[in-house]
Amino acid sequence: MEMHDLCAIAAREPRCVLATAVKVEGHAYRKQGVSMLLTEEGAMYGSISPGCLESDLQARVDRVLHTQQFEFVEYDMRPEDDLSWGETIGCGGLIIVLLESVCGELRSIMSHMHAYFQCGSAVVLTRSFNDQHTRFHYVIQLAEDAESQTSLYPTPVAKGAPLGPINTITEDTPRLSLVVIHSSQAGAVASNSGESDLQRHGLTEAERWDVPLQISARYEPKPRLIIIGAGNDVIPVARLGKSAGFRVVVADWRETLCTAERFPGVELVRGFPREIMPVLDIQSGDYIVLMSHQFPRERELLELLEDRDYAYLGIMGSRTRTARLLNDLPPLKHLHSPVGLTIGADGPEEIAISIAAELIACKRAAVAAERRNVQRGIAHATDGYRASGR
């Protein structure tokens, strides 16, 4: 699950904990930087493992919420003898998870992040620890400015408007409450005071694990999937698009088709092409699929796309129909027609799968290309995360 989603969920969950894999060594199901939310009521959003760790993390939620202190938890599955977990996990990796109560500064930070994501902006979140990893503060920056180490920002504002700093150093910054679980010592738990033996001897587990004093994470907004058309065959495409990590927008001029009942959890834009284009404000990272089956309307929209930047343009229909649509138009960028991977799809559901598969492939290719151009940090995870530690 994307951080974009987790920020939205945190806004409606009054008592929840953010779990983040801050260090991963060896083989693991998810990569460093991936996060999930766990609520007081037992709900889980996202995952860090294929199910091996989540129940143990959930068991810690009440304490983290009660103390409002963060915790590091170690899961060491590298030893061959991991029967203490009750079953052979087989991941063979070390995972250090940071648990944080979503309250105060973190809740404010996640609210800011969600607002940035909705504006299409990537964000860098930095946690800076003191020397003993017993305190830390947050800083958020727009990603393009983090690269140049320039100004810090509060909330999104209109384009071109001045922006000011946000740096969350406060007296209320949470203190460390350390709990450690080893695969070979599943019953070993820290004392009620939150101190382990290592802490009492002046060394924290975080120091032993070599957790950096500063952890920076870059989070990307979910790319928009804009579907032109609201027919029955669009319903499975919208559903799979959401599952594949897209922020789905359905646009159509037929109000009886473009409804929340037919497309739950999807943004809806109603109007003809010239009416919806200013509302959509298509950006370079957007994915567009034409599925209205209305030749004149699609031709009109293609004409409006001539001078626009976007990441993907898929057109439903045969090559012959697409050739007619594109007749006398200049070459359009990133065109995929017929839309979808060639898998011999038959019927709306299979066609939707082929479209979703092609969208995922193009999204992954775009992420890989960006990572090759990154000069700082390390690319991690599948949720748009890039982390660096200093």
Side-chain angles (χ1 to χ4, degrees):
M1 181 171 285
E2 312 275 349
M3 180 58 76
H4 196 148
D5 295 312
L6 297 182
C7 289
I9 294 168
R12 65 174 186 260
E13 290 287 351
R15 291 176 62 79
C16 58
V17 168
L18 181 69
T20 303
V22 295
K23 185 170 184 176
V24 174
E25 291 183 0
H27 176 71
Y29 176 69
R30 303 293 301 276
K31 301 301 182 183
Q32 181 172 316
V34 69
S35 295
M36 67 177 295
L37 276 178
L38 305 107
T39 74
E40 186 177 42
E41 301 300 322
M44 301 182 190
Y45 301 96
S47 64
I48 288 178
S49 77
C52 315
L53 312 180
E54 280 72 9
S55 60
D56 186 77
L57 291 171
Q58 183 66 56
R60 304 173 184 282
V61 167
D62 285 345
R63 179 174 58 249
V64 173
L65 289 174
H66 176 70
T67 63
Q68 295 191 1
Q69 296 174 332
F70 66 86
E71 293 184 2
F72 286 107
V73 186
E74 176 195 57
Y75 298 97
D76 191 348
M77 296 161 288
R78 292 173 297 185
E80 293 182 3
D81 179 17
D82 58 3
L83 297 180
S84 57
W85 286 93
E87 59 183 23
T88 301
I89 295 177
C91 295
L94 167 72
I95 303 176
I96 309 300
V97 179
L98 172 65
L99 296 175
E100 303 166 272
S101 175
V102 181
C103 61
E105 296 294 344
L106 181 56
R107 182 169 292 278
S108 176
I109 286 288
M110 295 183 75
S111 176
H112 291 321
M113 289 173 65
H114 184 259
Y116 281 128
F117 293 148
Q118 290 296 101
C119 295
S121 297
V123 172
V124 172
L125 171 62
T126 299
R127 296 173 177 90
S128 294
F129 295 85
N130 68 358
D131 290 343
Q132 293 78 38
H133 290 84
T134 56
R135 283 184 179 271
F136 71 88
H137 67 271
Y138 305 96
V139 174
I140 57 170
Q141 299 169 272
L142 289 179
E144 59 264 30
D145 295 292
E147 297 294 328
S148 58
Q149 295 297 307
T150 57
S151 54
L152 310 175
Y153 300 100
T155 53
V157 295
K159 292 181 180 178
L163 300 167
I166 179 166
N167 186 321
T168 65
I169 304 175
T170 70
E171 292 300 320
D172 296 326
T173 303
R175 296 188 64 87
L176 172 65
S177 174
L178 186 66
V179 177
V180 186
I181 290 294
H182 304 276
S183 62
S184 59
Q185 299 174 339
V189 181
S191 66
N192 292 334
S193 66
E195 290 188 338
S196 68
D197 289 337
L198 284 172
Q199 282 178 285
R200 287 191 290 272
H201 289 86
L203 180 66
T204 68
E205 289 280 4
E207 291 174 306
R208 182 174 70 82
W209 298 322
D210 194 27
V211 175
L213 291 177
Q214 188 174 92
I215 301 173
S216 294
R218 172 173 170 144
Y219 296 102
E220 302 289 340
K222 295 170 67 174
R224 281 199 307 176
L225 170 58
I226 300 170
I227 307 174
I228 307 300
N232 291 340
D233 58 343
V234 174
I235 294 174
V237 177
R239 184 180 67 250
L240 290 175
K242 287 177 57 184
S243 298
F246 288 88
R247 175 185 166 192
V248 180
V249 180
V250 172
D252 201 299
W253 55 93
R254 296 164 291 189
E255 294 187 3
T256 56
L257 297 180
C258 195
T259 66
E261 290 74 23
R262 288 167 55 81
F263 297 98
V266 168
E267 298 175 39
L268 303 175
V269 179
R270 300 179 181 89
F272 293 106
R274 292 190 182 279
E275 297 170 335
I276 65 175
M277 285 298 284
V279 177
L280 293 174
D281 188 24
I282 291 172
Q283 304 292 321
S284 59
D286 290 336
Y287 292 68
I288 307 167
V289 177
L290 272 57
M291 296 183 63
S292 73
H293 309 287
Q294 300 289 320
F295 191 96
R297 300 302 180 190
E298 292 187 358
R299 170 70 186 206
E300 181 183 356
L301 190 132
L302 290 171
E303 292 173 353
L304 297 171
L305 286 177
E306 285 184 28
D307 299 322
R308 298 278 185 155
D309 288 326
Y310 46 83
Y312 173 99
L313 174 61
I315 301 178
M316 174 74 77
S318 67
R319 288 186 174 87
T320 300
R321 179 181 184 274
T322 299
R324 289 177 55 216
L325 270 174
L326 300 177
N327 187 40
D328 295 330
L329 288 176
L332 293 173
K333 302 180 290 292
H334 311 301
L335 178 63
H336 296 259
S337 178
V339 66
L341 294 183
T342 304
I343 61 173
D346 181 28
E349 294 290 339
E350 291 186 3
I351 291 172
I353 291 170
S354 75
I355 294 172
E358 184 171 73
L359 290 168
I360 292 170
C362 290
K363 181 173 70 166
R364 291 286 177 261
V367 170
E370 181 195 3
R371 285 175 176 171
R372 286 193 293 269
N373 294 328
V374 172
Q375 299 302 315
R376 60 181 288 275
I378 303 172
H380 291 295
T382 58
D383 66 348
Y385 175 94
R386 185 186 302 119
S388 61
R390 293 191 293 277

